[in-house]
């Protein structure tokens, strides 16, 4: 009973029965909601499976125990679902957005994406650069080829809106419906706001875990970060004999729990104050899903620590350097000699050809990008 009450749909929740619809009209699903259908389509997409071999911080072959974009997306979905249920939001829409949020990521994490953007801007400026959120939308709107009557997955407006977390004004103007909010400066649905925050909760915590496991950061360093230190000390007080490995796992669990409870409680207060009576009203209220100021500060401190100590670590920097080289050399060689591209990616003239090369590279997994690089540049590699 308590759980049923907790899951009751709030008036500000997105309602699958009142979706703004799909780009191509389709009959309503018989045995699931429109948002459940979106989630299911995302899980069956090719780009979703490729997330298994794309990385966040560590390159895929560095160790089987590190997070990949697939396990990251599952962790984001798990965190977002729990909070969505306690806020009375649509759990399926939240989950669909969380599972799809990284579909447009290039191989090699941010390094790959930044380099692809630089390549486009320098070598094919008329193509309009590379933005990973826009690429995620492009995957679900255009690039997946699975359905007889349309390109992409033909998802609902609400799912597409949630996937497009950021977007330049120039691109927003070209997008129509999902771009409009960047021009109007309104917010996306509460489900989208939540998926976005769950992303941050997930990566901050798993980067602590993976960072320690890799040996690139150590416990002593983390004890200078207040949110880690508080929870770690509490764990050691409760279980004085606990082994380091379990102590870290328990600390991360407790940090995630603290962040989840804080978002839930703080957002409940914001919703009570703003009192939106519909999802559209909620879009006009400014950001409503968020941390309390105290936890915001602690989360930011952790983020800054990871930026400085993990993402800038010299061993990560070496990987980043290699990743940039692979992406740049592939882009340059395909632009110079489109005849080296698989036929599906050849286009007549620019900027269409440059965009197709960007789609090809962005779709690659880490290991595929390295293999393709060897096939083209290593004389003793077969084709
Ligand atoms: Mg993410």
């Amino acid at each position: 009973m308590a759980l049923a009450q907790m899951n009751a749909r709030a008036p500000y929740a997105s309602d699958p029965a009142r979706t703004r619809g799909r780009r191509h009209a389709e009959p309503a699903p018989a045995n699931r909601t429109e948002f459940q259908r979106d989630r299911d389509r995302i899980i069956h997409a090719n780009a979703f499976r490729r997330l298994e071999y794309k990385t966040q911080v560590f390159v895929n072959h560095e160790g089987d125990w590190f997070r990949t974009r697939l396990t990251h997306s599952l962790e984001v979905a798990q965190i977002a679902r729990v909070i969505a249920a306690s806020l009375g939001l649509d759990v399926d829409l939240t989950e669909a957005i969380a599972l799809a949020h990284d579909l447009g990521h290039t191989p090699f994490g941010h390094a790959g994406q930044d380099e692809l953007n630089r390549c486009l801007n320098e070598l094919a400026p008329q193509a309009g650069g590379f933005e990973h959120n826009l690429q995620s939308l492009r995957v679900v709107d255009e690039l997946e080829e699975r359905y007889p009557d349309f390109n992409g997955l033909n998802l609902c407006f609400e799912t597409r809106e949630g996937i497009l977390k950021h977007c330049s004004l120039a691109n927003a103007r070209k997008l129509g419906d999902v771009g409009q909010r960047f021009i109007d400066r309104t917010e996306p649905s509460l489900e989208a706001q939540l998926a976005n925050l769950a992303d941050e909760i997930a990566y901050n915590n798993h980067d602590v875990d993976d960072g320690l496991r890799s040996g690139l950061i150590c416990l002593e360093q983390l004890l200078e970060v207040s949110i880690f230190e508080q929870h770690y000390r509490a764990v050691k007080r409760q279980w004085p004999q606990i082994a380091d490995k379990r102590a870290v796992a328990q600390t991360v669990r407790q940090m995630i729990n603290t962040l989840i409870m804080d978002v839930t409680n703080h957002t409940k207060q914001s919703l009570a104050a703003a009192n939106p009576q519909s999802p559209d009203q909620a879009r006009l209220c400014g950001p409503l899903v968020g941390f309390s100021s105290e936890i915001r500060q602690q989360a930011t401190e952790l983020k800054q620590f990871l930026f400085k100590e993990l993402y800038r670590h010299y061993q990560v920097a070496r990987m980043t350097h290699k990743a940039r080289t692979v992406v740049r050399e592939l882009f340059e060689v395909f632009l110079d000699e489109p005849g080296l591209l698989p036929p599906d990616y050849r286009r007549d003239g620019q900027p269409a050809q440059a965009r197709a090369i960007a789609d090809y590279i962005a779709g690659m997994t880490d290991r595929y990008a390295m293999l393709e690089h060897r096939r083209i540049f290593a004389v003793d590699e077969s084709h």
Side-chain angles (χ1 to χ4, degrees), residues 235-284:
V235 168
K236 292 293 264 190
R237 266 196 305 277
Q238 198 173 347
W239 296 280
Q241 306 302 326
I242 195 169
D244 276 356
K245 198 161 88 174
R246 282 179 206 260
V248 167
Q250 180 64 15
T251 303
V252 170
R253 285 184 64 215
Q254 293 192 7
M255 287 199 298
I256 293 175
N257 194 50
T258 296
L259 296 170
I260 287 177
M261 292 315 295
D262 184 76
V263 171
T264 307
N265 294 330
H266 184 72
T267 304
K268 276 183 182 165
Q269 287 169 18
S270 305
L271 284 164
N275 197 25
Q277 289 305 305
S278 69
D280 278 341
Q281 268 185 22
R283 286 182 170 89
L284 303 175

Side-chain angles (χ1 to χ4, degrees), residues 56 69 72-73 76 98 101-102 105 110 132 165 195-196 198-200 202-203 206:
Q56 297 273 114
R69 286 211 182 262
H72 162 69
S73 300
V76 176
H101 86 280
D102 271 351
H105 260 284
H110 288 281
H132 74 261
K165 191 164 67 179
N196 187 12
D199 185 22
E200 184 183 335
Y203 67 67
H206 64 52

Side-chain angles (χ1 to χ4, degrees), residues 90 225 308 342:
D90 190 277
V225 180
K308 188 161 157 267

Side-chain angles (χ1 to χ4, degrees), residues 75-137:
E75 290 182 27
V76 176
Q78 181 275 317
I79 291 166
R81 281 184 67 100
V82 171
I83 305 172
S86 37
L87 294 175
L89 299 179
D90 190 277
V91 174
D92 303 308
L93 174 61
T94 311
E95 186 179 17
I97 297 167
L99 292 175
H101 86 280
D102 271 351
L103 288 179
H105 260 284
T106 60
F108 314 120
H110 288 281
Q113 164 203 314
D114 293 346
E115 194 60 25
L116 193 51
N117 186 40
R118 268 193 293 270
C119 287
L120 277 164
N121 286 333
E122 285 168 24
L123 304 170
Q126 69 284 32
F130 184 86
E131 296 177 31
H132 74 261
N133 285 296
L134 196 59
Q135 190 70 9
S136 296
L137 186 68

Side-chain angles (χ1 to χ4, degrees), residues 25-26 43 45 49 77-78 89 109 157 189 213 230 259 265 295:
E26 287 187 70
I43 288 173
R49 280 191 299 280
Q78 181 275 317
L89 299 179
F157 168 86
S189 70
R213 206 185 303 258
Q230 281 167 24
L259 296 170
N265 294 330
I295 291 288

